[in-house]
Amino acid sequence: MAYLLMFVTLLHLITLAMLLIATMEKSWWVLDGLENSDLWYNCRLDNATGTWLCASSKETEWLQAVQVLMVLSVVFSSVSFLVFLGQLFTMSKGGLFYFTGLCQVFAGLTAFSAALIYTLHNKEILPNSKELTSGHFGYCFILAWVCVPLLLCSGVIYIHLRKKE
C-alpha cells in the first residue's frame, strides 16, 4: 500500500509539473528553430544578439479557449493534490478519494480539450498561414497530449484508492 501511495503521489507531481511546463513554456508551434509560438507569446530569435524577441500572441477566440482550458487543468490538478494531502491526514480508515480523483479526471479532460482545440484550429490560432507549412508542433504541445492519459489514469487510481492505516 505504501508503494502505491508513493507511486500515485509521484505520478501526480510529475503530471502537475508537465502541465505547468506545457502551459508556460514557449514551444507549442516551432518554425525552423528560429521562431516559436506558444499560448501567450510569439517569439523570434535575434541572430545578432542571440536573444529571443517576444510579442504577445494575437488574441483569437480559439487561443483564449486553449489558454483558459490549460490554466483550468493546472488549477484542477493543483486542487486535487492539495485535497489529496488533506484527505490523507483527515479521512477515516477505509475512505475513498473520490473528490481527488474527480478533480484529476477534470484536469485530464480540460487538457484534452485544450490540445484538441489547438490541433483542430491552429490555422485560426497562428498569426501567419506560412507558419502552417514550414512549422511543426513543439514539445509543449506534445507534453499537453502526454498529460491527458496520465491525468485520466491517476484520476481513476485515486477513485479506486482506499485509505488504510
Side-chain angles (χ1 to χ4, degrees):
M1 180 64 190
Y3 290 121
L4 180 62
L5 187 62
M6 288 186 329
F7 170 74
V8 169
T9 305
L10 188 63
L11 178 64
H12 196 136
L13 290 174
I14 289 170
T15 55
L16 184 57
M18 288 170 50
L19 274 176
L20 283 169
I21 291 168
T23 304
M24 295 187 307
E25 278 295 312
K26 296 180 188 69
S27 185
W28 276 65
W29 189 263
V30 178
L31 284 159
D32 304 325
L34 299 176
E35 292 183 45
N36 288 339
S37 289
D38 67 351
L39 301 180
W40 315 103
Y41 298 104
N42 293 321
C43 299
R44 293 177 188 260
L45 180 65
D46 184 11
N47 287 332
T49 61
T51 60
W52 287 96
L53 304 173
C54 298
S56 294
S57 295
K58 186 180 93 174
E59 293 292 326
T60 65
E61 291 86 12
W62 293 116
L63 180 61
Q64 288 178 343
V66 174
Q67 289 171 339
V68 166
L69 288 168
M70 285 303 292
V71 169
L72 267 176
S73 183
V74 170
V75 168
F76 276 132
S77 189
S78 300
V79 166
S80 175
F81 186 69
L82 293 175
V83 168
F84 171 68
L85 290 178
Q87 286 178 331
L88 197 58
F89 295 110
T90 61
M91 190 168 39
S92 63
K93 182 179 175 182
L96 295 169
F97 297 93
Y98 283 130
F99 187 72
T100 302
L102 288 175
C103 282
Q104 277 295 89
V105 168
F106 285 142
L109 292 175
T110 54
F112 172 74
S113 300
L116 188 64
I117 288 171
Y118 197 87
T119 303
L120 297 176
H121 295 284
N122 60 0
K123 291 178 186 173
E124 292 91 358
I125 292 173
L126 295 171
N128 299 338
S129 59
K130 76 168 183 103
E131 292 184 1
L132 291 174
T133 58
S134 63
H136 57 86
F137 291 110
Y139 75 93
C140 290
F141 174 79
I142 295 166
L143 271 180
W145 274 112
V146 169
C147 282
V148 171
L150 293 176
L151 287 166
L152 294 175
C153 287
S154 68
V156 170
I157 291 171
Y158 276 126
I159 289 171
H160 291 294
L161 188 65
R162 284 190 185 274
K163 182 178 179 186
K164 293 183 180 179
E165 296 230 13

